[in-house]
Amino acid sequence: MLAAFKHWAVSAIALAAFVFAPTALAQDTGFHVLDVASGYWGWELPEGEDGGGTCADDPLHIWLSEDRTRFFSAHEGDDLTVEADILSTDSGWLAIRYDGEERLTDAGEPVVWILFLDSRDRFRWIRQDWIGTGRSTYPLVRCDDAQIG
């Protein structure tokens, strides 16, 4: 009985952390993430750092299902499409869990990724378990058609 209660308590705490933690990211953007997330995005790498995934070199194409419950992404010219459930959203962010996610948090849960808008043309990924730590990926910026290589 005690083990069942502990499992329930841990599950309840994990659910509360999921539901309430992203509110720390709340912001008034004047637009909604679901209206601006689709498009081509490239990494904004620090000066002198080389890597793929920039607008000129293998940009990331993001799109949403018509009902806005699914997230899709693929690198330009790649046949592999990555899919995820959209778990929750607010005007400036959306939280997703990739199908088949194998990366785990320290608590042993599959990682939840938050697409956090810095502006309508710039975002960064924040793992849910990074909230409050200041950690995030490098930003991604919206690609113009002319930049897509």
Side-chain angles (χ1 to χ4, degrees), residues 20-37:
F20 297 110
T23 61
L25 300 175
Q27 61 178 346
D28 182 16
T29 58
F31 48 86
H32 199 282
V33 66
L34 295 174
D35 296 327
V36 300

Side-chain angles (χ1 to χ4, degrees), residues 55-77:
C55 288
D57 177 28
D58 199 26
L60 181 67
H61 182 204
I62 292 175
W63 68 100
L64 308 176
S65 63
E66 196 171 306
D67 65 0
R68 296 178 167 194
T69 61
R70 299 281 293 161
F71 173 97
F72 304 95
S73 66
H75 283 277
E76 183 68 8

Side-chain angles (χ1 to χ4, degrees), residues 104-122:
L104 301 176
T105 65
D106 289 342
E109 297 293 324
V111 168
V112 171
W113 289 96
I114 299 169
L115 184 157
F116 180 79
L117 292 172
D118 294 330
S119 71
R120 93 176 17 254
D121 295 322
R122 188 173 191 259

Side-chain angles (χ1 to χ4, degrees), residues 28-103:
D28 182 16
T29 58
F31 48 86
H32 199 282
V33 66
L34 295 174
D35 296 327
V36 300
S38 294
Y40 286 89
W41 300 86
W43 291 107
E44 185 178 83
L45 300 173
E47 182 128 358
E49 187 162 328
D50 229 358
T54 63
C55 288
D57 177 28
D58 199 26
L60 181 67
H61 182 204
I62 292 175
W63 68 100
L64 308 176
S65 63
E66 196 171 306
D67 65 0
R68 296 178 167 194
T69 61
R70 299 281 293 161
F71 173 97
F72 304 95
S73 66
H75 283 277
E76 183 68 8
D78 195 341
D79 291 335
L80 176 66
T81 297
V82 179
E83 301 183 27
D85 286 323
I86 297 175
L87 304 174
S88 60
T89 68
D90 195 12
S91 63
W93 57 266
L94 63 83
I96 64 170
R97 178 173 293 132
Y98 289 109
D99 294 353
E101 177 65 81
E102 294 181 1
R103 293 165 288 197

